[in-house]
Structure formats: C-alpha cells, structure tokens
Amino acid sequence: MPLIDSGKLVDDAWVRLGDDDALPAADVPVIVSLARFHKDRASLAGRNGGLGVWLASNQHPKDIADHLADFALVALDFPKFRDGRGFTIARELREHLGYRGVIRATGHTLPDQYLFLVRCGVTQVEIPEGRDPALWAHALTEIDTAYQVSVAGPLSMARLARHKTTEHAA
Amino acid sequence: MSPTAAARQIDPPANGLPSHAGIYHYDQVDRDFLKQRVEQFRRQVARRLAGELTEDEFKPLRLMNGLYLQLHAYMLRVAVPYGVLTSRQVRQFGRIARQYDKGFGHFTTRQNLQFNWIKLVDVPAILDLLAEVDLHAIQTSGNCIRNVTSDQFAGVASDEVVDPRHYAEVLRQWSTLHPEFSFLPRKFKIAITGSSADRAAICIHDVGLIAKRDADGNVGFEVYVGGGLGRTPFIAKKLRDWLPEDQLIAYLEAVLRVYNAYGRRDNIYKARIKILVHELGIDAFRNEVEAEFARMPVAEYRLEPTIIDGIRARFASQPYEALEPISGVLARARLEDQAFNRWVRTNVAAHRQPGYAIATITLKPAGGIPGDVSADQMDAIADLADHYSFGEIRVTHEQNLVLAHVRQDDLPALWKALSAIGFGEANSGLITDIIACPGLDYCALANARSIPLAQRISERFADLDRQHHIGELKIKISGCINACGHHHVGHIGILGVDKKGVEAYQLTLGGSAAEVGAIGDIMGPALSADETVDAIESVVGVYLEQRQDGERFLDTLARIGHTPFKDKVYASH
Amino acid sequence: MARVTDAPKVVTANRLQDGAVVWLTAAGDWSTRIADAQVQADAAGAEAALGIARASAARQEVVEPYAVDVAVEAAGPRPLKTREWIRAAGPSIDAIPTAA
C-alpha cells in the first residue's frame, strides 16, 4: 500500500508478516502482531532488520510498554476511519511512554484525519491504492491553528496560550 | 494599556460588531482559523460532488460541520457558543434564512440555530456569511465534543457565583478540532453553570460543570459525568467535588482519554459515556480518570490564570447606567396593565445590576412552532436588542430568547414591541412554553410528529388566565427515543413512538432538569395525538383538584403519587 | 392487513446536490413528484429499480436510495407509512411562522 510520511509518498521497506509467515532475510524490517512478538521473541530479536509491532485498535499501549525499546516502529490499526482509538493510543505512546520511533497508521483513514494523526504523534500513514497522495500533502496545510496541546508541536497550551496577559488581574 | 482598558475596544472598528454584547470577541487568530475551516469544508463538499469521497466517508465530515441530511433537504445547525449572540449575528441569520432557506430558522434545545431547507451546494457560501460575523457550524454534530452549552443568564443572574462564559469559551477553543477527540465512540456534550440555580441542565450532559468558589474566593469546579437522555436515560454522577481552575483542561483530557479508549464501539446505543460510567460504576470510572490524570504532564495542560484573564478581557462589559433599584415607571405600568403585569411575572427575572432586568422572549405563541423565528422577526429582535440590551441576544435551552440587560423603565415599551411581532406571550415556564424537537415533519430519525402536537396543546391551553392559574408546568416533546425534546425531564414528558406505522405518544410524569434532576415515569400505554391532548387536560385537572396552597405541579405529584393521574387518564380506556 | 412486504413499491432517494426528495420514474430518471414514480408490483421489479437507483447513487446523483411501500390510488401512489407520506408531501405544518 502507498505510504505517506511528512505529506510525501515514500518507499516502504517494511514487510507486514502474518503470524504463520516465514521470516524473510535478516536485513528486511518486519512488522509482526503482538502475539507473534511474544511467541518468537528470541528469533525476532537476533535480526539485523528493524522490528515493528502491529496493534489492533482494542490493544492497549501498556501491553507493549515493557518492550518499546525493541520496536523501531509501532503500527496502529484503524479498522474503520470512524474508530478513533488510535488517536489516543498514539498520543499515549508519545506522551506517557516517551516512544520516539515511527508510529504508522494502517487500515482505513481519510486525508481529512491526517493532520489530527500527525498532531497525536503518528509519523506515517498507509493510504488506499488509487487515492491521490496530494490530498494528504494538502491536508497538512489546510489548518495552521491548533488550540490544544500537541505531542507534535511545542508542548504548551498552543493557541489557547496566546490569551496570556502580562499581568494577572485577580 | 491595561487589559481592562483594552476590553473596551477589542474589536477592529471595521468589523462592526456591537462592542458591548457579552460575547467573546474574536481576534485575528480566530478569524484566520475560521476562514481555513470554511475552505476545508468547501473542498470536502467539492470532493463529495466529484465522487472522491463516498457518502459513508463524507457523512461524518459533514456532521462534524453541522450538516445533516433530513427528510426533505439538508439541515445546517449553526453553533451559538453558550447561547450568546450579537444583533449583527441575528441579522445575518435573517439574511441566510431569506437567501438560502424558506425565510425562517429554528432555535434548538442546545442553544443552536437550525436552517431546515439547505442545499449542499450552497453550504460553503452560507459558511462564508456566517464567518463574516464570527459564526460557524463546527462540531454541532458528529462524534466529537459538541459546542458547549451554558446558563442563559450567565453574567447577569443575581444568584451567580462565577461567570461560566469565560470557561465555556476556554472549552470552545480547546475542543475545536481536537486532534485526539474528533472520532469518539459517540457525541460528547459539556454544559457549564456558575449559579446555585441550574439553568443549563448539567445533570443530563456527558460532563456537567458547576463553577464555584472556595472560602478564599478561588474558582474551581464540581464535575459531573455520565448524564444523558436518549434510549437509556441517566442523571449524571458526581466525579469530583472540587477541581481547581488551572486543572480544568488536564482533567477533561483525562476523562475524554478514558472514554475514547474504553467507550463501547460495538453498539451505537451503548456508546455514550453514560454507559461506560454505568457499566464500570462511578468509583471504578473515577479511578481510571484519576490514574490517567496523575500520570499526565499536568504543567503542559495547565490553564494558567492569565489565560482566563486574557479571555475574560475579550468579553466586552456592559456600560450600565447608575439607576434606582426600583423603577417607578415599571411599577406604574404593572398596576395599569394586567396583561403587562402578567408578562413581567413570568418572563422577567432579577438582574444583578440595580434598575435592570432580564427579559425572556418566549418563542411559543399559541399555535406556533416552538423555537421558530422568521427572518423579519429576527431583524425586529435584533433592532430591539440594539435599542434595549446593548445589542445582545441569548438563546435558552428551552428554545426561547433572552434580552439580558433591559432597563426596568424600558420593559413596558419592550413588551409592546415584542407583542407587535407575536412574541409578547406571558408564558415563560408555563404549560404552553413547550419544548419540542422538529419531529417527523423534518427529522429522518423521528417516529412521530412533535410540532403539530405542541401546536395543539398550546392552542388548547391558550387562555393566559388559565395558564397562570396552573402555574409552572413544563411539557417536553420528543419525536423519538433520541430525546432531543428532553421528554424524560419534562414535568409532563411526551415521547413519539411508532405503533405499527401509526404515530402514538407515550406520556411520562415527574421528570425535572432543575438542580435535583429526575427522569419521569411512564404513565401507561401510548396514546393517539387526540388522546394525548385530552390526557394532558386530565393530568392538569387532577393537579388543580388536588393541589394545596403554594404547591407546584411537581410538588403535588410528589405528595399524592402517580396513581390518581393514571387513573384519570386511562379511565376511559 | 396485507403484509407490508407484499405492498407495491416505489423507489426514492434524496438528491445529492440539494437533498430534495426524488422518486424513480419509468424512464429511469428522478422526479420530485411522487405522482411520476414508477410503481413496482413485485419484488423482482423493486430489486431491478433499486439497481438502477444504486447506479445513480454511484454517479453522485442521489443518496441512499430505498424502496417504499405504497397504495396505488387514483391520484397516484401514496406511501403507507406516516414517515414516507410526510417525505412525499412535505412537512404537515405551516413551515412559515404565522405571526408577523
């Protein structure tokens, strides 16, 4: 599937491995389910290629909290674009768990959600075949005001903080 | 220039907003944002028309911008942040109503305005017109944080402890296009009040906030969660007795995170936070929230007092005159004109400023459509607001309007002018001050019509002498179980149901959305529209027969129980 | 009472551009008047008409087409359910406020 990073189409070196698929060459980076990670930890750890984990939308970041250092990538599933759990999971990975690797959104998301994803800490998005990648690039430019704290931007009250007055009247 | 001095001239004169209306006055950041949001939606509409977005994909996007597809047309729900408008904004509603609708608009139970006859292709142009006057339709629908509602008497009520508008505005900005909470399991409604009397119905909201002060005068919030009507009504439960002001955003983020992560997504009817709170229990839910809150980088989310100051400074204050607390003009007019006196009794409330009063304009003329206002009436009300109330108009959750700063001396003239446009009815809080959702005449979800029933009830009880004799009695009508007409909390609630393809109505008694909220009890089998009007007559009859000195309807009901009412209503069945 | 599913049917939708209620005609296009709707006597006919309607929806002409049970009267088809006759006829109330 086409992959968007920072608004641009990029090559995807990662291979999504089914739970029963054989391991590819040792330098190919793979994304595995959490179940497979627990089952094959030993053989997965010894490879040169990067290791990524795929979380279903009902799996919790705390399930991987102890192993985050093992993962160069965390893929979050959006089974349908209306299922917004991934936004909270991504933000939690960044904010609470201090995760600094790649967070990839997989499944069904819309370009209209891309800016939100980025602001919650997602770095890459898989997009459906045949969709115009320019929509994702454009999505990053549509709205440049945000009123909330964002893990992608300066950690402050963002635009809400512009109301700060120099003196507190009370 | 001190912040206080700046408050008097915060608007660029070219904008032309009446500078004394008690709204948050936009700055350039807000205006730039709104323009970008309109352009974003314009492109979304274009993509839908070009087939680049499916209906399934477009629907949540249009809902998040207040656009529904109803029975006969699209409906655009415009946000009225915490219910306060300027006269210029109301005139713009009139312009849109004439140019793009059928010449009227409909005020809703969530302090919003709906246009019922909108074309999809016109929506971007309408949003441009709204943006001209700092209005929008952002998050008036969709599974996101909806526009925040509040007390229609905010800032003027004599019983107010904290002005909730400033915090409502903080919440408006914080919730606008929130990156994490725009695809929640279901909609999320926040209401805030700052008075001892709850006019914002906080007990039936996903989160209800009561702003209060501690012994040292510091502001904090009592936090309620999990209230709501619909299929499974719940009165909200207390989550926190005291939340310090500066933790408001952090704590709400924690609540929303728990909800977004654990709220049910398998069943649309069980997806509201009230179900999560009910299934976990309030104590377990509180533990989740407090755990999340405890590990948040709270400093990042701190709502600094200076932010509140800055926002407060963008609310213009009203240049009240120094007046005698008691108006001789008003006293004489009340003596001379019984009809006017009656209107003052029901529709005028005490103002904290000596010599001023709060006037409610009930949008409930006998036989009228609750909440509907024509474009001409909008213009007339805007003129009256300019003349009598610093150019400010408020919307109540009971589908009425309020002029919040009227000199008592001006009340007689205001009442005459309102009567001339059909809105001088002395019925605020009375049996014809009916809340009704649009129902099956417009709404794609409804099972039965609401408006014609409201019209018939208000015609039946049109006699004002009789209405005043009956006293406070709140009828609320919903055309389906989604309960947009708040029937569960009506003193008499009416729910439209579908009985084998035929409309029928189920009555409930004893609901209340006041400080002590209560869900009404179902009386018995559903009735036809004709029978429903008669049943209300019977209920009122029993009440008048049984009531003792000074009892309101709810008091009598509480004393004698439901049985006498049921017996009377179903005697002929 | 006849089972609802046995009733004759017409196919309806809302027009994408303006949301107007439209009815599928015998010519396979859409009319805003239910009198112009083609009545389908049986399930096969209704299914075929829905196929035409769904193709129209795929061309971004209409939204969410579906079939409606009707009684065939002299003036034309009349929907059996309240919801559908209100959709066909417009709101049952005077949509313009009476006062002023």
Side-chain angles (χ1 to χ4, degrees), chain B residues 141-152:
Chain B
S141 179
N143 294 336
C144 49
I145 305 170
R146 299 289 186 86
N147 59 314
V148 175
T149 52
S150 187
D151 180 354
Q152 68 267 20

Side-chain angles (χ1 to χ4, degrees), chain B residues 16-73:
Chain B
L17 285 175
S19 57
H20 295 300
I23 62 161
Y24 166 81
H25 290 249
Y26 270 32
D27 63 12
Q28 200 54 44
V29 170
D30 295 305
R31 296 211 171 94
D32 292 345
F33 166 79
L34 205 48
K35 278 206 183 82
Q36 291 187 328
R37 179 68 182 104
V38 173
E39 287 311 307
Q40 183 182 41
F41 193 70
R42 177 172 273 121
R43 280 189 295 272
Q44 288 170 342
V45 170
R47 282 159 61 208
R48 174 68 188 109
L49 294 172
E52 292 165 19
L53 282 169
T54 64
E55 184 62 18
D56 184 51
E57 291 172 333
F58 181 58
K59 189 175 175 182
L61 300 180
R62 67 166 157 76
L63 288 176
M64 229 179 285
N65 213 8
L67 189 64
Y68 286 73
L69 179 53
Q70 294 288 47
L71 288 188
H72 316 286

